[in-house]
Each structure stands twice: as structure tokens, then as C-alpha cells.
Amino acid sequence: MKVRRRDFFKVTFAAGAAAAINGTSMNALAAGTPITKKSRAFGGEWMASTCQGCTTWCPVEIFVQDGRAVKVRGNPYSKQNDGKVCPRAHMALQQVYDPDRLKVPMKRTNPLKGRGVDPKFIPISWDEALNTIADEMMALRDSGEPEKLALLRGRYSYMRDVIYDVLPKVFGSPNNISHSSMCAEAEKFGVFYTEGKWEYRDYDLDNTKYLLVWGCDPVSSNRMVPATIQRLGDVLDKATVAVVDPKLNNTAAKGHEWLPVLPGTDGALALGVAHVLLTEGLWYKGFVGDFKDGKNRFVSGVKVDESLFDEKESYGLVKWWNLAVKDMPAGKAAELSGVPAEQIERVARGLGKAAPNVCVWMGPGCSMHPRGAYSSMAVHALAGLTGGVDNVGGSLQSSSIPVNKLDKKLMKTFQDEVALKHTKFKKIDQRGYLNLPAISKGKSGGGVSTNNVANGLLNKDPYEIKMIIGYMNNPVFANNGTERWEKALSAVPFTVHLSTHASEFSQFADIVLPCTTSMFEKLGYTKTKANRYATCTLLQPVVEPYWDVIDDETEFPFLISEKLKDRGFSNLYNALTTMYKDPESGRKAKNSKEFTEYALKYYTAPLWDGKKDVGGDKINGWQDMLKRGMWNSDPYQYKKQWGGKFKTVSHKFEFYSKTLKKALEGHAEKHHVDVDRVMEESNYTVRGEMAFVPHFEPPLRSGDMKEFPYMFIDYKSRLNREGRSQNSPWYYEFKHVDPGDVGWHDALKINPADGKTLGIDDGDPIRVSSIGGSVECTARLWEGIRPGTVAKSFGQGHWAYGKTASIDYNKAQARGGNNNTLIPWELERLSGSNARNGGHALVKIEKI
């Protein structure tokens, strides 16, 4: 029997998904196993919800029998994931029924805080917990310092407005701090300052002729996982797939080209590709334009007269050539990036031949490092050169989702004079400081810098934080430079953590509140996109919680507002009950459950109330919305930004970024310096006009390469539910689904040539050290990692979180090592992002 490559690819992925959840007693949960008539006889039904195992946020259905969730599948209505899910959705079953979950509110009785310090938690009632929190909040209000409350947000649903905006702003604090810069803000930087969109992209895999994946693994992460798994086999048959990554990931293993770039040199490689495209006349002229006389004047090393070129949808191509591209031929790019010149040329010619149906899929690997902003711009510039931007078979933006927005004008009416004044104070993450521009969407300090909160806390700059409320987050584990966070959190007088598990962050908390799991017990909604469709999908409580838990984003603010009202501060309660009335009846909520439902109905009403044709799926009322669980938009229309509609300063795709120039000059003027000084303070080497174009920056390495000779790479597993799956035994049992990994081990991938040099064999216990710290793990000799570079999956190394995640929870003994202990604290300062990629962490390896 002859099996086509496409079919084989689909079969292997289906088998992988099944393997990720199967065990001797788990066959009924296998991916693709149908629910039979016999199983229906037991009273089971499919109920709609949403998986938040990664930022794909897939619409799902959960099969519930006798009140228990037993199986997960994609929502058949979904055009975003084709009604499919990846292994993460199945693994969630071990989260909701995890015996180590928080069950009741807990109070700290040991005032001493630190790693390994027993908090001596005792169980308390909800009433005592809420009263204690309300008393601490009122103490800040009474002393006229509400800004000293910080709200730290982790993974969220779009019910986030209630806890993230309304609660702190009505209370009077500017310190609502998102986790966003931990994920991909530097990636968004490159797109915004070329294309004018500060958001993630969609990718038209169905129509692409060349898929260039850069710094990510789309079948493992990066926002459209099931859709990519479903399509990649077909893409391999009809298109070319090239992957730029120091590690052989899943997509690279199946692809036609693997470019194992030297970490942090992506900018040089991208410019080398651009150089070939331009000197050989391969750019897409229908988007970029051409020389007025049709003669190609792009010659290596030679400046070009800008007046000779007539651009169409782009701006500044010749400026970019003269400043950054003309002196980066393939040979030089090869020397800097470690990718052979002939491969750079081959890939560039393939891109030119396939243009404009070229999909440049950029991930955080090339951008989330200390000098990654310009790498991000350089990679995305290739999408512009090939005409794939907003085009068939290329990278797309998303259709809007017509839900109601937070009524900020109405919210403001509930802010008293104290709140109005204090919410204008500087934020604790120091965004907008001279050395931290965080120029999101063109505004100095417009972004967030989550990892810099630790510095703000330690230095009490701009002021002391006396109280933290955090939810669905674990900054002390999830940010690089973990020791800094441990010291910072130890110094905060009062911390509240809303969580499903007692994580590392919980160990520094004074009150820990048990919360619902987002896929099975929580009520809310998310917005997402893939396959040209934007989607609104509901989170629904498909099972009754075993324990006394609440929804973090809605119930907690409501319950606290009641306590604050009892103490004479009714503004928050009045704001919540007025802003979020039931849109059908006009009633105000009388309890936290009603409030959650009314808030959800308020936001999603345009999709189901029938008052206006918003396009997409036609939903007949609230009950139909609950049953379906989701709404799909109409398919995205190509070239919506073409014709001068790009939201840049020039209204075109910018190779010379007037948008970035305006933002940097605005930040410099704010601090009474020039742009060169901003670059210096932000850890960049560039000076002058080069600061406004995609260019190569020499990577910043942390440590002396003589002492720490290997570059460390962090990557995400196909089984990582955003770092929350490490108390699931399935995570360890099936870790081998990630190329190069081994089940029940925390494996550091080492090239065999480097293993020979070090005298290390496969399976040896090793110690890995950097200037940030040391971890112990297992050596895995593997040809799929670039020599001189080592890689380890993020996720293990928990010293809290449960009996499986840690070897000994009571003794704070970790299972494996936390990558963020190795990766020294640093930022990509132009965007405010964590610096977790690009090989900036240098390490040494010793056999134990």
C-alpha cells in the first residue's frame, strides 16, 4: 500500500495525540475515539467550553458522564481549529481532578518569607479571608496611598476587565500589571514598526507556497496549533517548508530546510536573505514597487539613489538598503549566523519564486532577547519584500470580534478624587523610564515590563508596594532571574494569590484563595483567531467543583466590593453592579454568580442578541450561545491594509520606520536626550539613522565564554499547558513526543560532538550553571541541536505546585531544573519584554 506523505503526517500526529493521553485504563480518552451509543446510555453529553492550555485558546467540547469530565474534543462549530485539539486539551483532565489542588482559603502564620521557608498555612473560612483582604485594602485607602496596591495578572480570559481594570482603577491604583511582556511583546514590536499592528498574526497555510518558520514550532505553540497539525502535511506536499531554529523542532524534522542559526544572530540571517532577494531582483514588485526604468540597481555594497525607485505599498526600501542591507551579502550573513551561504541563497530564491504566496511565521525565538527588537523587524521585513503581508498564502491580521468593550467613561464616574489622582502615578514596572522605553504602539511607556516589577519592588521605585493581588500567575517561577523575584516578594508586606494550586508564588503569599480551573469550572470568554477566522469562545462550568472555589476575574472583585462597601467604600460595588447589568432584564447582580453571568452576557451580547447584524455565525439568543459555546467571524478578507491603509505613519509597510522614528524621538524628548542616548541606555549598539530600520545587532551574552562556553536555549513542549501541566503524571510519561526529550527526565539536549569534548555520555546526571544560578538535570546527546548550543524544555524545576511537580514539596525540593534560574535577569528594553531567548544565557556543564 502506498501512503502519501500528507496522510502519513496526519496519522503520526493522531498517534502522538493518542499516546499523549493513553494508558492501560485511559483508552476511552484517546484522541479520535468516538463516543458510542453504549456510552451515551450512561447519560453523558458533550458540553462546550474553551481550552486555555496555550494561547491558541481552542473552542472545545467536553464529554461529561455522571457529573464527571471524561473526554475532550474540538468544538465541531469551530472554524478556528477545525473541531480538533492537541494533546494539551486532553491533559487538562488531570488538572481539574488533581488531588493537590487548593481546596479552601489558606492563611500564612509564619511572617518569615523566602524560598524553602514553610509558610505554615492554616485553613480559614472565605469570610475571614475576604475580611482580612478588605481590611488591608482599606488601610491603604485610609492612609491615602491606594497606589501601593499592585494587581499582577497572569493568563486571563476576557473577563479580565473586571479584576484588571475596574478593581484597581476605582480603588485608586495605577498598578495593574499584565504578564504580556513575558510572552511575545518583542515579537509584536517588529510587526508594529513595519506593518502598524501590535498583535499576533494569523497565517494562511491553505494557500501558501513557501512557509518560512522562524524561532518557533507551530505544531507545538504559537497560537494556532491544531490548525497547523491538521494542515502541515498538505503544506509539505504543495509548498516548501524551511525552519530557522538552533534546535531541530517538530516542524523542522518534517520540513525541507533546517537552518540551525547561531542564537541571537537572526537579524544578520534575515538581512542576508533580503540581500539576495534584492540583488537578484526577486522581491515582489506588485507590493514593493520597482525601479522606474525597470533596471535593478541593487548591487552588493553600492548605494542607490532613492529617487530612482517607485514604491507601491511600502516605504523606505532604498533607505533600508543603503543603511543596513547593501553590506550584508550571504557570505557575511553566513559568517555571523553560522548558516551556510549557499543555503541562505537557496532559501531566498525559493521565497522569491513563491512570492507573493509566502508565509513568514515569526515566533519569540528570534525576538525575545536583549537586542531582539530589530531582529523581529528584520524577519518581518521579509514578509514585506515577498508581498506576503496581508495577502493570499501569507501572514494576516484578524477580523474584529464585535463584543462590547469596557465602558471606561462610565467607570470614571465611580472614581473619587483620590482614585482619579493616584491612578495617574507612575507604575511599579518603571515603564517609560529612560532605560526602559517600552514603546508599545508608538507610545513611551505604552507597554508593560512584567519582569521589571521585581526591580521596582526591591528598590521601592517609584514607591513602595505594600500589597499585591495576583491571579493565574507565578512570576517567581516564570520570569528569568528567579532569585531576584524571591527577594522582591519576600519584602512585600501583604500578598494575596488566587490560584488553582499552591505554586511558588503562593509560598510568598499571606492569603491564598482557591479558584476554578478555566476549562471545566469557570465562566467567561476568550477571543482568538486562526485559519482566517476570528472566534469568540466561551469558558463554561461543565462540572460542579469538588471544592469551595471561585472565579478569579469576576467573583473575587464582586465579593471584595461587598466587604469594602461594609467598610464605607462603596464605589467598587456600585461600579460593578451598575456597569454590568443583565442586558436582557436590566437587573443588577445580587451575588457573585449572578454578577459573573451578567458580565459575560454584557460583553458577548452583540453576538447573540440579534439587535444588529455583526456578520459571522447567526446565533439565536443567549441559550443558543451557551449551547454552541462560540461564534465564528466571516473569513478574513485579503489585502485589507493595501492601498495606503497600513496604520503606520506613512500608511505603508515601512522598511524605514517613520513610526519607530516618531516613537523613539518622542521618548528621547520626554527625557531631554537624543535617540543615541536612548539606544545606549537600552543596551543597543546602533547610533544614528540605523535606529529606524531593521538591522543586525551583535547578540548580548551574559557571562564570559571562556568560563561558560555554551549558549542555552529555552523552548516550549507540546505538553506544556503554559507551565501548569507539571503536576500531571502524563506530562512526564509522554515527554518523548518532543524531539530529543525523554520521559520522566529533565533532559538537556547536547550535540554529541560537545558531549565527547565534555566527557559526558547520554543519560549522565549533570549540573548546568550560569551567572544566574545552577540546576541539575540529565544529559541527552542528540544531533538535533547546533554544536556549541544546548537546549532544555521550559516547565520542570518546580519546588512547589504539587507532589508530582516537585520531588518533595515540604522540603522545596525541585524535580528537574527551572530554566529561569539559569537565564539571568535581563530585558529587551524597547518593548519591555523578558529576555529569555537568543542564547544570552551562557552556561557551563559538569558531570555529577
Side-chain angles (χ1 to χ4, degrees), residues 698-710:
L700 182 68
R701 309 293 189 200
S702 296
D704 184 343
M705 289 203 74
K706 292 182 180 179
E707 182 180 1
F708 302 99
Y710 296 96

Side-chain angles (χ1 to χ4, degrees), residues 29 62-72 92-93 96-97 519-520 542-543 546:
L29 303 181
I62 299 159
F63 195 70
V64 180
Q65 288 181 314
D66 296 327
R68 186 177 179 89
V70 298
K71 181 178 169 68
V72 181
L93 292 164
V96 67
Y97 296 119
M519 188 169 162
F520 302 95
V542 300
V543 296
Y546 280 114

Side-chain angles (χ1 to χ4, degrees), residues 351-629:
L351 290 168
K353 183 179 179 180
N357 309 122
V358 171
C359 182
V360 179
W361 190 319
M362 177 176 62
C366 66
S367 56
M368 296 287 285
H369 59 88
R371 293 175 179 159
Y374 289 104
S375 296
S376 177
M377 291 180 70
V379 172
H380 197 61
L382 298 179
L385 274 182
T386 56
V389 170
D390 213 29
N391 203 356
V392 178
S395 59
L396 310 175
Q397 297 301 330
S398 64
S399 300
S400 60
I401 299 176
V403 294
N404 284 323
K405 297 181 179 180
L406 173 68
D407 191 337
K408 294 183 178 180
K409 185 175 180 180
L410 179 57
M411 180 181 70
K412 191 172 182 179
T413 64
F414 296 97
Q415 292 180 284
D416 60 15
E417 290 184 6
V418 172
L420 289 170
K421 177 182 177 181
H422 288 246
T423 50
K424 295 178 182 178
F425 285 14
K426 293 180 179 179
K427 291 178 180 280
I428 194 62
D429 64 351
Q430 302 175 348
R431 65 184 75 176
Y433 280 27
L434 174 59
N435 66 348
L436 187 52
I439 45 175
S440 170
K441 301 179 182 178
K443 179 183 177 182
S444 172
V448 60
S449 189
T450 313
N451 205 16
N452 206 49
V453 170
N455 281 338
L457 295 175
L458 282 169
N459 299 325
K460 300 180 181 180
D461 180 8
Y463 40 76
E464 180 184 12
I465 291 296
K466 293 184 176 180
M467 181 177 181
I468 289 176
I469 298 173
Y471 82 93
M472 209 173 179
N473 61 347
N474 191 6
V476 70
F477 180 86
N479 284 288
N480 47 294
T482 55
E483 185 178 351
R484 188 173 304 213
W485 273 93
E486 290 167 4
K487 291 178 180 178
L489 292 175
S490 296
V492 177
F494 190 81
T495 298
V496 179
H497 192 205
L498 293 91
S499 182
T500 58
H501 290 71
S503 70
E504 286 77 9
F505 186 29
S506 306
Q507 308 309 303
F508 296 87
D510 298 272
I511 297 288
V512 181
L513 301 179
C515 295
T516 54
T517 56
S518 63
M519 188 169 162
F520 302 95
E521 300 166 336
K522 187 174 182 176
L523 185 62
Y525 79 104
T526 67
K527 298 185 292 184
T528 185
K529 61 186 175 186
N531 297 339
R532 295 179 60 206
Y533 291 93
T535 299
C536 177
T537 173
L538 301 185
L539 297 153
Q540 298 197 70
V542 300
V543 296
E544 284 289 329
Y546 280 114
W547 301 292
D548 192 8
V549 294
I550 62 169
D551 286 0
D552 45 20
E553 294 176 309
T554 52
E555 288 195 86
F556 173 74
F558 185 88
L559 293 169
I560 278 295
S561 77
E562 291 182 314
K563 296 295 185 181
L564 295 176
K565 180 183 177 185
D566 292 343
R567 287 156 174 77
F569 182 75
S570 60
N571 301 51
L572 181 58
Y573 178 85
N574 292 337
L576 296 177
T577 54
T578 303
M579 295 173 66
Y580 297 103
K581 296 178 183 177
D582 183 350
E584 291 186 296
S585 68
R587 289 195 296 265
K588 292 184 178 181
K590 296 180 180 178
N591 57 59
S592 62
K593 299 291 185 187
E594 279 190 354
F595 173 75
T596 300
E597 181 183 5
Y598 293 173
L600 177 59
K601 290 173 73 175
Y602 163 77
Y603 281 114
T604 60
L607 305 178
W608 53 263
D609 65 11
K611 294 181 179 180
K612 183 180 178 181
D613 185 359
V614 296
D617 292 346
K618 306 305 178 187
I619 300 176
N620 300 314
W622 177 236
Q623 292 305 314
D624 190 30
M625 183 69 178
L626 291 174
K627 183 178 180 180
R628 292 170 53 96

